[in-house]
Amino acid sequence: AIGSLVPTELLSLTGNFSITNPNAGKTFIIDPNGAAPTSTSTGGAILLENTGNTGGGFFIYSNAGSTATGRLMNIRADNNQFPQPAFHLDYDGTANAFEIIHSTNDSSSNALSITGSNINDTTFGIFGREYDKGTLKITHIGNGSDISAAALSIDIFNSTGGSGTTAAQGIFMDATTGKTTGKLLNLRNFGDEYLTLTAIGYLGLNNSAPTSRLDVQGNISVSAVNNTIGLFQMFQFNSTCAGFKIAGGGEILSCTP
């Protein structure tokens, strides 16, 4: 025991403790054997009981420059039969449970980079129980010079290279435990609703409450010439006259004087 008169552990420390290794190699190794308790408040091979400390608990700091070759923290589970999460966080506080502050301007540095190679499950899963918030909220902060940026960008990447293709869908959405009564898609700009897809498949353009399969408020411009879509045919006689007709029905023609 160091700084403790009645130690109850194999090593009990009270007060400041410093380890310095001026030579290359491992400085401090802990190699426990047995079955340490799994409790997140009393277990673990190493437990930092921080209740009596109102300051920070565990810090890693580095001011190393471009010559650094190692990561500040590594966690590795090297056995493919290991059944537990590599990292687990329990949080009952009032701030954010997990925060990343990313201040670099490097064009190849992401604030969070996740790479999954498990073809049988999702790479990134999010579960939420919100009543009036989004389970996932993305906020892009722009200043007018970000014309090439996007709040959400999806790249369906072909891993085979060359002229090969992928069969993945761009966006897939379903309600697997029962139909939702809310809108499936709701696109707005500064509060104005421009595209709405209801729970029963009605699509509204500039219409927040469509009552048919396609419900448009405003003018429609069709660039197709003599094009047939199912029973619906669009045609154009000349540069000023165009119209449409439905098979078995009449025709509607519009000409501009």
Side-chain angles (χ1 to χ4, degrees), residues 59 83 87 98 137 156 190:
F59 289 81
F87 182 84
F98 190 82
K137 182 176 182 178
I156 302 178
F190 204 61

Side-chain angles (χ1 to χ4, degrees), residues 85-249:
F87 182 84
H88 177 83
L89 172 67
D90 283 330
Y91 185 78
D92 291 328
T94 59
N96 298 321
F98 190 82
E99 290 183 334
I100 298 176
I101 300 176
H102 186 252
S103 303
T104 182
N105 291 322
D106 191 287
S107 61
S108 61
S109 176
N110 299 320
L112 178 63
S113 177
I114 300 176
T115 302
S117 58
N118 181 7
I119 63 174
N120 297 312
D121 204 352
T122 301
T123 296
F124 189 39
I126 301 176
F127 299 85
R129 296 180 180 272
E130 302 78 17
Y131 287 115
D132 58 359
K133 302 290 185 179
T135 300
L136 174 63
K137 182 176 182 178
I138 300 174
T139 301
H140 169 75
I141 301 174
N143 57 8
S145 61
D146 51 353
I147 189 171
S148 297
L152 176 63
S153 176
I154 300 175
D155 181 10
I156 302 178
F157 186 76
N158 169 30
S159 62
T160 62
S163 59
T165 60
T166 175
Q169 301 174 70
I171 297 177
F172 175 82
M173 181 173 61
D174 194 6
T176 59
T177 60
K179 289 187 176 181
T180 180
T181 58
K183 296 176 181 179
L184 299 178
L185 190 62
N186 189 339
L187 299 185
R188 300 182 178 187
N189 192 354
F190 204 61
D192 294 331
E193 196 164 332
Y194 290 127
L195 191 150
T196 301
L197 180 61
T198 68
I200 57 175
Y202 288 174
L203 179 62
L205 299 180
N206 202 30
N207 186 350
S208 61
T211 58
S212 59
R213 290 302 176 192
L214 178 60
D215 198 335
V216 181
Q217 290 187 1
N219 298 327
I220 299 177
S221 177
V222 179
S223 60
V225 178
N226 299 334
N227 192 15
T228 300
I229 305 175
L231 300 178
F232 183 81
Q233 183 180 27
M234 296 173 290
F235 55 91
Q236 183 168 352
F237 291 113
N238 51 48
S239 60
T240 61
C241 291
F244 67 88
K245 67 178 180 178
I246 300 176

